[in-house]
Amino acid sequence: MEASLLFDGSAASASNGCSRPGSQAGHSGAAGRTSRGPWEAAHDGRNQPSGARFHRCNVTAVTRARIVVDRDFTLGEVPRRIFGSFVEHMGRCVYTGVFEPGHPAADEEGFRTDVLDLTREMGISVVRYPGGNFVSGYRWEDGVGPVAERPRRLDGAWHTVETNAFGLHEFMRWASKAGVEPMEAINLGTRGVEAARELVEYANHPGGTALSDRRIANGAKDPFGIKLWCLGNEMDGPWQIGHKTADEYGRLAQEAAKAMRYVDRDLELVVCGSSGSLMPTFGAWEQTVLGHAYDEVDYVSMHAYYEESDGDHASFLASAVDMDHFIESVVATIDAVGAARKSRKRINISFDEWNVWYQKREGADSPSQVGTSGWVEHPRLIEDVYTVTDAVVVGTFLNSLLRHGDRVTIANQAQLVNIIAPILTEPGGPAWRQSIFWPFARTSALAQGEILRLHVESDLAPTQRYGDAPLVDVSGTYDAESGRVALFLANRSLEGPADVEVDLRGLRVGDVVGAEVLTIPEGGDRHSVSTADDQRVGLRALEDVTVEGERRDVVRLRLPALSWSAVQLGVTVT
Ligand code: AHR
């Protein structure tokens, strides 16, 4: 089927099962799935819908898309905090991930400098710590003071022995070396208001009180000045230690927030939303929690993980359609609560866990194996190895975050190292970039200035889970200061390239500053991965970029099948 028919005519669409071009896809409902391990069973149904009968679009050739860029149509400044990450005391994220005393690349404090370098290269702005499920059973006091005196504890969330060799002070020093803002989570599972307010006093009060003087005695003369705080983690999830009903949690979060602010007025507080859009309490949870805590909090959290299952790659590739819908649902819920309270306060979203995660994958490190090998220190857990397909999907997640950058102002890819991560390490060995490293690093580097409100028309293809989904997914920014437009484009089609026409309004293209693409490597396939020795899934030049039009206001791009691209245009205002 020729692309022009797909793009131009509904008759063609009807005859080959493809849909007409559009910019928004439908959303189908949820269904359960078979469960296995105990932890995994408890997570069932967070983001794993299955729905309508599978109905493939017969796209065999070229996808077509058109994008209109108008310099006056913007959404606001790129919120830098959306390029966040997450370090949890889980598996090998901390131990042998960011921290490995004795490693050849470790600095004098035991921080792996190879991981620090890659963290900086990714352009990470903020890092959430110390969990995750881990935080709901954590005593922050265990992680401060002389290391030799710190207690070894059982971590029930991941069935692991926690040595506490790494704690708050180590994290703060690591964060400073990495150049990232800390985002600290408090334990609202087994602990409550007192431990929360004491942690804020320990961390942020200048001195002259027992807790702040203890920090100073422990080596940190200056207050840490941590601004961003998470009020617990996934408290709606039955798997969470100290899981609560929405009313119980809403009240606790409200009181913890109040007490924390009594110590430090300048905190920014994130209240737990749902652990996934398919949680049975999703929506009602947010409404009830905000009913209690609206006046005390600044952000509602969102978490979402996606994976390819049952060979349904079309739905997987369209996962960002679901992410868009999820974000818009939470924004609507927040605003409905605000409107009913006649409040003028605006609460934004902290999308503080998102990624591709193969929760159904079976292996020695899979979720179903948690707890099966006894109590050990930092076991290998969920060390997913990411493919080209995963990288394209991650690129579209970043597009979704940028498209909603007026309301999603914090986001953290979960996690940074080893645990479902863009960076992998071997103990005593190398650190390397996974495929998903690239869209994150390049989007963080190039998304500057204002987020563009793009008009996008793309061929659609049907998906089992999300209805008709655009084959070309895009986001963009315009930086008036540097005179640069950056476009981030994914071609979700496995069948062929996408021809994209970019029409610029109010701008003239001087030159194509850069055009790079991540796609299937030579001799590989969509499952190709990078390893420590072979970084075959990476960026190369995107060749097919031309500037046209008398006014140099049309750019044509050809995106390879299954690809993620970043294109930077030097522009002047007309
Ligand atoms: O990121 C892995 C885990 O996923 C986190 O600990 C938890 O918050 C979520 O369920």
Side-chain angles (χ1 to χ4, degrees):
M1 179 59 59
E2 273 305 310
S4 54
L5 290 178
L6 290 180
F7 188 70
D8 295 332
S10 54
S13 302
S15 68
N16 72 353
C18 291
S19 306
R20 289 193 303 132
S23 58
Q24 191 58 46
H27 184 74
S28 67
R33 66 180 175 87
T34 315
S35 61
R36 286 151 302 136
W39 183 83
E40 203 197 4
H43 278 68
D44 258 9
R46 293 204 303 181
N47 295 91
Q48 305 298 328
S50 67
R53 202 165 48 85
F54 193 51
H55 177 56
R56 279 299 314 272
C57 168
N58 183 25
V59 178
T60 53
V62 183
T63 294
R64 294 184 75 191
R66 176 173 167 262
I67 301 163
V68 180
V69 173
D70 188 319
R71 75 179 159 89
D72 290 326
F73 282 36
T74 58
L75 212 58
E77 282 283 313
V78 175
R80 295 310 309 172
R81 281 172 166 172
I82 63 171
F83 299 110
S85 189
F86 176 30
V87 167
E88 177 168 6
H89 283 252
M90 174 181 178
R92 298 194 309 113
C93 187
V94 170
Y95 304 108
T96 73
V98 299
F99 180 68
E100 191 178 344
H103 186 280
D107 66 10
E108 66 293 348
E109 298 190 278
F111 304 142
R112 285 188 62 151
T113 54
D114 48 0
V115 174
L116 275 170
D117 287 344
L118 291 173
T119 303
R120 285 186 288 258
E121 187 183 328
M122 274 185 80
I124 289 170
S125 52
V126 55
V127 172
R128 181 170 175 248
Y129 173 84
N133 294 343
F134 170 80
V135 80
S136 296
Y138 182 54
R139 295 170 49 82
W140 66 265
E141 301 89 334
D142 292 346
V144 304
V147 175
E149 290 168 26
R150 295 186 194 171
R152 290 166 65 82
R153 300 264 189 212
L154 296 185
D155 160 31
W158 301 112
H159 205 88
T160 297
V161 173
E162 171 57 52
T163 64
N164 284 306
F166 189 97
L168 181 60
H169 288 253
E170 288 77 18
F171 174 64
M172 291 304 298
R173 288 199 297 271
W174 178 84
S176 150
K177 287 182 175 176
V180 302
E181 179 183 3
M183 179 180 191
E184 180 78 15
I186 60 162
N187 173 355
L188 287 187
T190 58
R191 307 190 81 186
V193 178
E194 186 168 59
R197 66 158 296 289
E198 288 188 355
L199 175 53
V200 175
E201 183 177 331
Y202 180 92
N204 285 4
H205 194 67
T209 65
L211 284 162
S212 53
D213 286 347
R214 200 167 138 201
R215 181 200 68 241
I216 295 167
N218 287 335
K221 188 171 156 297
D222 295 327
F224 292 140
I226 304 172
K227 266 187 111 62
L228 261 182
W229 296 78
C230 302
L231 302 171
N233 176 70
E234 294 190 346
M235 297 309 302
D236 63 321
W239 60 86
Q240 199 68 212
I241 298 175
H243 161 60
K244 293 179 173 50
T245 66
D247 274 312
E248 288 166 349
Y249 172 68
R251 283 287 298 125
L252 180 59
Q254 179 187 22
E255 290 305 320
K258 202 173 79 187
M260 291 162 78
R261 279 232 174 81
Y262 283 168
V263 178
D264 183 343
R265 311 165 77 93
D266 296 330
L267 306 184
E268 293 178 52
L269 302 177
V270 182
V271 78
C272 291
S274 298
S275 314
S277 62
L278 297 177
M279 292 297 289
T281 51
F282 171 56
W285 171 273
E286 282 76 1
Q287 221 169 354
T288 305
V289 167
L290 286 176
H292 292 293
Y294 197 95
D295 293 336
E296 317 289 346
V297 302
D298 306 290
Y299 306 89
V300 171
S301 76
M302 291 179 63
H303 291 181
Y305 294 103
Y306 296 87
E307 68 186 299
E308 181 173 337
S309 54
D310 308 323
D312 181 6
H313 53 75
S315 296
F316 176 55
L317 279 160
S319 297
V321 168
D322 187 63
M323 196 161 175
D324 287 343
H325 181 78
F326 185 19
I327 293 169
E328 285 152 26
S329 304
V330 177
V331 167
T333 308
I334 295 171
D335 290 351
V337 175
R341 297 169 75 92
K342 300 179 178 53
S343 173
R344 300 187 80 83
K345 175 178 175 181
R346 181 188 247 210
I347 292 181
N348 284 329
I349 287 170
S350 170
F351 208 135
D352 45 42
E353 286 187 35
W354 65 267
N355 210 349
V356 173
W357 176 4
Y358 285 90
Q359 296 191 48
K360 293 183 189 169
R361 179 176 60 80
E362 278 304 332
D365 65 328
S366 68
S368 64
Q369 298 304 302
V370 169
T372 58
S373 52
W375 292 100
V376 290
E377 293 175 21
H378 51 79
R380 287 183 190 261
L381 287 180
I382 60 169
E383 300 194 1
D384 287 7
V385 175
Y386 291 113
T387 64
V388 175
T389 314
D390 300 328
V392 173
V393 170
V394 162
T396 63
F397 290 158
L398 289 157
N399 282 348
S400 175
L401 295 172
L402 267 175
R403 277 195 289 268
H404 296 93
D406 56 336
R407 298 305 296 269
V408 180
T409 53
I410 305 170
N412 308 69
Q413 188 181 37
Q415 298 187 7
L416 178 67
V417 198
N418 293 328
I419 300 279
I420 47 172
I423 302 168
L424 284 180
T425 68
E426 271 305 314
W432 65 98
R433 303 167 188 82
Q434 294 229 63
S435 64
I436 63 169
F437 181 98
W438 296 108
F440 190 111
R442 299 311 290 151
T443 307
S444 176
L446 302 179
Q448 300 291 341
E450 304 255 318
I451 300 168
L452 285 162
R453 224 185 256 267
L454 300 171
H455 171 78
V456 182
E457 295 166 14
S458 165
D459 285 345
L460 303 171
T463 69
Q464 184 181 5
R465 294 183 184 176
Y466 310 124
D468 291 344
L471 284 167
V472 171
D473 182 78
V474 61
S475 70
T477 58
Y478 169 53
D479 185 18
E481 213 177 290
S482 62
R484 300 263 161 98
V485 164
L487 295 172
F488 309 99
L489 310 107
N491 177 9
R492 291 174 165 138
S493 171
L494 300 182
E495 323 295 341
D499 279 345
V500 181
E501 175 183 311
V502 184
D503 294 336
L504 293 106
R505 302 205 175 143
L507 295 169
R508 168 194 172 88
V509 179
D511 53 349
V512 178
V513 180
E516 44 201 0
V517 63
L518 181 151
T519 189
I520 296 170
E522 192 85 20
D525 60 27
R526 74 182 189 89
H527 303 292
S528 293
V529 300
S530 282
T531 63
D533 304 324
D534 184 359
Q535 288 281 294
R536 63 201 313 244
V537 183
L539 296 172
R540 59 178 162 80
L542 176 70
E543 303 292 353
D544 300 313
V545 185
T546 53
V547 182
E548 294 175 9
E550 244 170 67
R551 291 188 299 222
R552 290 183 63 84
D553 54 2
V554 176
V555 178
R556 290 190 197 282
L557 314 163
R558 172 162 273 214
L559 311 174
L562 189 66
S563 62
W564 176 87
S565 301
V567 175
Q568 232 190 334
L569 307 171
V571 294
T572 48
V573 172
T574 56

